[in-house]
Amino acid sequence: MGRLDYILKTFTHYFRQNLLVALGVIVSTTVLTGSLIIGDSVRYSLEQSTFSRLGNTTHLVSVTDRYFRQEMANEMEAANPALKVTPVLQLEGMAVAGGGEFRANKVQINGIRNDFSKMAGTAFFDSLQNNEIAVSKNLAERLQIKEGENLLVRIKKASLIPMNAPFVSAEETSVSLQATVKKVITAEEMGRFNLKNSQTAPFNIFLSIARLNQLMEFTGKANRLLISTELKNEEIVEVVKSCLTPADAGLQIENIEKSGETQISTERVFLDEKIAEVLLKLPGARPILTYFVNEIEKKGEGRGKGEERVNEAAVGSRQSSNNQSPSVSINFSSSIPYSFVSTLSNPPLATNEIVLNKWAAEDLQVKPGDSLRLKYFEIGPLRQLLVRETSFVLKEVIAMDNPLSDPTLVPHLPGLSDAGHCREWEAGVPINLDAIRDKDEKYWNDYKGTPKAFISKQKADEIWGNRFGSNTAVRFAKGAFDNNLFLKTFKSEINPGDLGMMVSPVREQGLYAARNGTDFSGLFIGLSFFLLVAGIILTSLLFRLNLENRAQQIKLFSALGFGEKRVRGFYLTEGFVVALTGGLMGLVVSVIYTSLVFRILNTLWFEIVRTDVLLIKIYPVTLILGLFISLLVSML
């Protein structure tokens, strides 16, 4: 009988004992190899999820609470052919299906251009038109919708004006879109599109950026630029800087017909401090700050006994425009409610002096030398409204046809500037509509928001300056504005960071986070430590028990003249066969076990773990390593 024949016959004869030993090896191998597989596969899948959620995107240009031109994408590609750039308008919304039965909140609304396929790697997105949308697979499953069905999407209304700026309504509004689902997209088709380092897949809706701009009442705006390039981050920043224009900063240039001046204002109401600083360096620049005040009052008159003067009061910032405002004294003979007040540089005014137009002076029945008081809201912390008042001395009264009586001094304020009547004002602050008189309505019809009073710029900065800026416009005298000098100065002085633009290497950041996070192999082995130790102890005890039960066989070998080394070789070879058999079976069990774990993870992370890919790229190495360790432990 040969050695191999002997081992096989012995293995068969002691099958039950060897089966128990093999079961111990199976447990040890399953725990050890399963932990290694899960750890390695999760790490690998985290890396792959970065590519899945970003597509071909390597860098991102983003802004917060502001928007820039879509054309920047084309200009950047023209400036450096090594760049592929596409604009995205990304907003937040919610989706409703089944007549309201199914709902998904915090949906990522992505307005994309037809060249989004450069980042997605699929041409499908080029064909989205009008109210057609593509939805991610996880959103379709949540809402239980299919291709061709209709979906109600509510999108949070975006505004070119910062929502916390003075006199801008803080009430959140939304825009509705009745859309048709053209396609349900999978993870491979950018269904997991996400610019944040998060493994939780967002709900995604894609539609035409032109349609989303139309819904937001924008024209050609975006707040994200997706870039695919091998260039370094610093090089991209330089390209962005070279393509910046005043329009990306929200600046608007207009000629004032009445005075012949040139005015530079902003769609954000208040000019950013850096931009204002650059503009005021230009020859002939004159800063302007126009503010909405609650009351212009003639001091020392018009208050009856028992009336209270409020110097400072906190008022809820989200009250309805119909709520009573404590700042208004309803005394029509000595005060004017709700007016715009602007600044005056020529002739210069002292900090305690004020100028009225003829209409306001006649209404208050005041003359130069009389004392006046302005009452106004100051925006405090957490948008708390504080009522302040400041006293002035009337220096001069100007005619209504004076160039200073100019409605274009007032910035565009949605809800105020476009109101047909005073009682239609929506200023984002409490307004006492009962205080508005018929003569105030007539003034609005005749002169709109033309400022009724003027104070010094120094004083205006002191009492009305805020974190959004202390200028609403900059004006240049007739013939003093040089557009070429303005553009040259803007290019040299303004950087992307001054406009809140951030250039981020999102792919590099995503891969770094995936590779340098938790060691999942160690984590799962650690979680399975006691089970692994128990399996090893069980295996060793079973091996030992098997040998003790065969003590008579060992003595028989000695009696027949077999040497100790040769007898040990018999049992080591047999033990290796048992361990190998149990190890191979343990590998099969570990694959089944890890597949179940992957299914659980996929319900949480939306297909972050790709078992089909892992079988090719991760399992072979890990299985061999796990089997080797298991055999080594078993034989020891």
Side-chain angles (χ1 to χ4, degrees), residues 304-366:
K305 183 178 180 180
E307 288 184 313
E308 180 182 5
R309 175 175 287 115
V310 180
N311 292 326
E312 184 174 328
V315 184
S317 62
R318 296 181 180 270
Q319 296 184 39
S320 166
S321 61
N322 292 323
N323 289 349
Q324 295 285 334
S325 168
S327 64
V328 178
S329 174
I330 308 177
N331 190 312
F332 305 119
S333 63
S334 62
S335 66
I336 301 174
Y338 306 114
S339 308
F340 285 100
V341 177
S342 192
T343 55
L344 185 61
S345 301
N346 188 25
L349 296 176
T351 56
N352 68 331
E353 292 180 331
I354 190 171
V355 171
L356 293 182
N357 66 17
K358 184 178 180 180
W359 187 95
E362 290 179 350
D363 187 34
L364 293 174
Q365 297 182 1
V366 293

Side-chain angles (χ1 to χ4, degrees), residues 258 356-359 396-405:
K258 189 173 184 179
L356 293 182
N357 66 17
K358 184 178 180 180
W359 187 95
E396 183 183 353
V397 176
I398 61 172
M400 295 305 297
D401 58 355
N402 189 295
L404 291 175
S405 297

Side-chain angles (χ1 to χ4, degrees), residues 8 34 138 162 191 200 218-219 303 374 462 469 508 552 555 597 602:
L8 290 175
N138 59 342
T200 302
F218 290 169
T219 302
R303 289 187 180 274
L374 296 183
E462 177 187 331
E508 180 183 331
Q552 295 299 324
K555 292 178 181 179
V597 174
N602 284 338

